[in-house]
Amino acid sequence: MTNIAILGFGVVGSGVAKLITDNKNEVTKLGGDDINIKYVLDLRDFPDSPFADRVIHDYSAIVNDPDVSVVIEVMGGSHPAYEYTVAALKAGKSVITSNKEVVANFGDEFLALAKENGVCYRFEAAVGGGIPVISPMISCIGQNKITEVRGILNGTTNYILTQMFTYGQSFDSALRDAQKKGYAESNPDADILGTDACRKTAILTALISGKLLPTSKIHTEGITKIRDNDVSAASKMGATIKLVGRGISKDGELFAMVAPFIVSGGMPLSGVSGVYNAVEVIADPLGNVMFYGQGAGAGATASAVVGDLMQVMTSGTNCSAPVFKKCEDMLSFDEFSSKHYLALCKGCYGKVIEKIQNCTVIENGDEYAVITPVISEGELASILDELDITPKSHIRIL
Ligand code: HSE
């Protein structure tokens, strides 16, 4: 019998309990043992839940119970998730989480502590919801040289953008729908401002480089500034707009960012719609590979958490785990180069295309969409500064 404790009984925690119960035969067969949800820790009581009798409010009962071998932390937030994780690992319990904030902030420390104590720390559900991406990146493609990992990492924003592009739905009403469906963070600012995608980008970048960048150093833009005109300009280009997190590890340089990107219709990421997420890995000699699936929601996230539980139950102390080291040494945002879309008024687009050679111009209602060749952020900013022009929109092109 494997006794587990679930910390947090919200969307994910209750989804985990439901999956373990509903799929008892499958999980017992794969995990090789019966699973007993011995405790559910939450501030609230759940009198109507089938797990009402396991609900406790005092973490020390869990950490001091030698029968509990696995703690599933699905509370979200950094604290007390950090303190609870440290205490569990030091007590010789494996920890599984879906909490990207705590992994992005302290993953290096937890992985080292797990190793020291001969237990596992796993976080498949922290990136891409239900998509198996972290384990395959470690176990199946880690032998490649990975130069870039990029993805649509937030289901809420992808849902909103899809509704705006495909159905002309307003931003606010699409956000409300995403919240109702249980995709959004408790504070949806973390979704729409790109913070959630930034945490996941930090984790993916650490997986390809071993270096955990502070999220505060990762240039992050959300989707709140995307206008109807940008949607029509992208459509005219045969493209769409996606919130993309990118981690690049090339020629000894490391770089990460999160921002809306114009993604041409021919690229695999352009077809990722609704709450679906995708992570594309560029690897040598493998080439491009893309992981795709539901990035949020109770069932999908529970699937990844319980997948980790299966691994912990069958691997014992022999978990295949990455090593993360905190690192602040990365290419500056000014040095990052890409093509850019600039939405410019009729009076100013001429000055820009005179200054930047080989731009493409698309007429878009009462403004012009100027597509630049590849140019660095710093160089473009200084040209716009010199011309004293602030574009109505500025979106990078993937
Ligand atoms: N709020 C997140 C999303 C949940 O929308 O993707 C999964 O991390």
Side-chain angles (χ1 to χ4, degrees), residues 100 125-126 129 153-157 183-185 191 196 200 277 295-296 301:
K100 48 265 157 161
L153 304 173
N154 182 270
T156 301
T157 46
Y183 304 152
E185 297 298 296
D191 298 295
D196 176 71
K200 294 164 177 169
N277 282 194
T301 311

Side-chain angles (χ1 to χ4, degrees), residues 129-141:
I131 312 171
V133 57
I134 291 177
S135 297
M137 277 180 72
I138 298 167
S139 307
C140 309
I141 62 171

Side-chain angles (χ1 to χ4, degrees), residues 1-2 23-36 306-307 309-315:
M1 174 79 73
T2 300
N23 293 8
K24 188 173 184 327
N25 290 343
E26 289 77 6
V27 293
T28 309
K29 189 169 158 209
L30 190 59
D33 196 9
D34 283 329
I35 297 168
N36 176 37
V306 178
L309 177 59
M310 303 291 93
Q311 292 292 324
V312 170
M313 287 170 67
T314 49
S315 64

